Amino acid sequence: MNQKEKMALIEEALDTEEGALVPDTILSDLDEWDSIAALSLIAMLDEQFDKTISGAEIKAMKTVEDILAHMN
Amino acid sequence: MAYFNIGKIRISGIANAVPDDVEYSEDYSSLFGEEYVKKFIASTGIHRRYTSHRNGVTASDLCCAAAEKVLTELNYDRSNIDALIYASSSRDYLAPVTACVLQDRLDLTEECICYDVPLGCTAYVYGLYLAALQIQAGCRSVLLLAGSASEQLPKGYVPTEIPMLSGDSGSATLIEAVEDASEMYGLLRSVGKKREILIQPYGGQRHPFWRLVEEHGLQRAAELNNRWYMDGLEVMRFSLREVVQMVGDFYSYFGGSTDDYDILACHQANQLILKNLARKIKFPIEKIPMPITEYANTGCGSVPLAICEHYTKVPVDREAAEILTCGFGIGLSLGIVKITVNPKKCFSTLKVSERFDDKVTYEKFH
């Protein structure tokens, strides 16, 4: 999966506009970054990458890059 | 040994009741924002719920109405009921157990074993197991009552978080010893080390009310007392790991596959969890009833509600359906139990508006 496809999956999980995110985007700056987005992110990583990450791992994420780091 | 297999168990009838007061998720748009509420609905699946926070109907009121429905529909002689299990954490009093109150309200004999099982979302599957044990020990029939209700709130109360995740329902299941009935089997587990994921820490003996008052003052202590905490992300992870593992172990131990079961009546945590669970255990999503959309997550009562909502909407022209029931939640606690139900004896859901008057007054107890 290339970077563009991964970004599209993150945008879908976070329910943001297409192209709204870049790797440097700070999650806490996004209106969309809330508990529901975090749940969707866990589900997406589990489904697409077979990784069931913990709540602590989610809370440690600061930027979109930190999400991408789990997508391999 | 957490696996069990108990024969000659018949589920003779199941009914549910909800408070006669409906609320829509969209009713909270002005308070929490239209976008957020839309997202909440898309993720949890919850469009509406039936709630007791205004009319004060209790879980035991709902279970009592459901029990009357089952006993009336089956024209059942209640002197045969040798045990009543109230599987719920929504109790009438701090003491005594609610099962004794219900024995009186349902006019059961005094030759009846009554006790509460204050589990959460696994109350029903644990209750099924306990009922089967009671039958094995000689009871002729057992009434399993499982339900949850929210607290009655003061008029004008404004919630700080969208309260739509939790709905209220109460159920009654009549379980009988019948010689040619099929077996009930399953697997029950507990993960106590993860108890902080879902917890109501204050007000019990570990953190009693008056200690909170000493440390935080009366006002703050009253706010903290009985408050619920949930780490939603860890609940999600638990559902995708331990629950998935348990379902896999169930198939390994008992054999069989998804094709052998008519439906999976699963605890209605939220739709996102249910869809992902279905994907991981490879259970066809159309065979997992989702009453959560209309009733929200009704805690202890969600599994029997899923069974009856399915069979009253999709009528089945046969008298036996092999189904799986699955609960998971606070404890942490989890279980999967195979039962056989008669789709024609899964009754439609009642609405209850009357709160039982126990005649307890301040004048009597102060």
Side-chain angles (χ1 to χ4, degrees), chain A residues 14-15 32 34-40 42-43 46-47 52-59, chain B residues 35-36 39-41 43-44 231-234 236-238 240-241 270 272-273 276 279-280:
Chain A
L14 269 52
D15 198 20
E32 293 89 351
D34 55 22
S35 57
I36 295 173
L39 284 178
S40 305
I42 292 182
D46 186 88
E47 182 169 7
T52 316
I53 65 167
S54 68
E57 284 172 292
I58 287 272
K59 283 164 197 160
Chain B
E35 280 304 308
Y36 182 76
K39 204 166 146 178
F40 171 86
I41 297 169
S43 157
T44 62
D231 184 338
L233 301 179
E234 286 301 323
M236 179 86 180
R237 193 185 199 215
F238 166 63
L240 299 182
R241 283 163 66 118
N270 68 49
L272 188 68
I273 284 179
N276 280 283
R279 168 178 61 77
K280 293 201 80 157

Side-chain angles (χ1 to χ4, degrees), chain A:
Chain A
M1 192 180 290
N2 64 34
Q3 176 95 347
K4 197 179 166 196
E5 288 164 330
K6 288 178 185 173
M7 290 299 283
L9 284 173
I10 299 175
E11 283 163 3
E12 192 188 338
L14 269 52
D15 198 20
T16 59
E17 300 283 322
E18 199 184 324
L21 304 177
V22 293
D24 288 341
T25 303
I26 294 169
L27 295 170
S28 59
D29 289 347
L30 295 170
D31 289 342
E32 293 89 351
W33 183 240
D34 55 22
S35 57
I36 295 173
L39 284 178
S40 305
L41 191 60
I42 292 182
M44 184 273 282
L45 291 172
D46 186 88
E47 182 169 7
Q48 300 288 336
F49 300 93
D50 203 22
K51 284 185 183 173
T52 316
I53 65 167
S54 68
E57 284 172 292
I58 287 272
K59 283 164 197 160
M61 290 174 173
K62 301 283 180 249
T63 64
V64 170
E65 185 68 57
D66 296 335
I67 303 174
L68 287 166
H70 288 274
M71 299 173 81
N72 46 48

Side-chain angles (χ1 to χ4, degrees), chain B residues 1 11 36-37 109 159 163 176 241 261 267 297 333 361:
Chain B
M1 185 66 173
I11 310 286
Y36 182 76
V37 171
T109 72
E176 285 184 274
R241 283 163 66 118
Y261 303 103
H267 168 58
N297 172 347
S333 170
T361 59

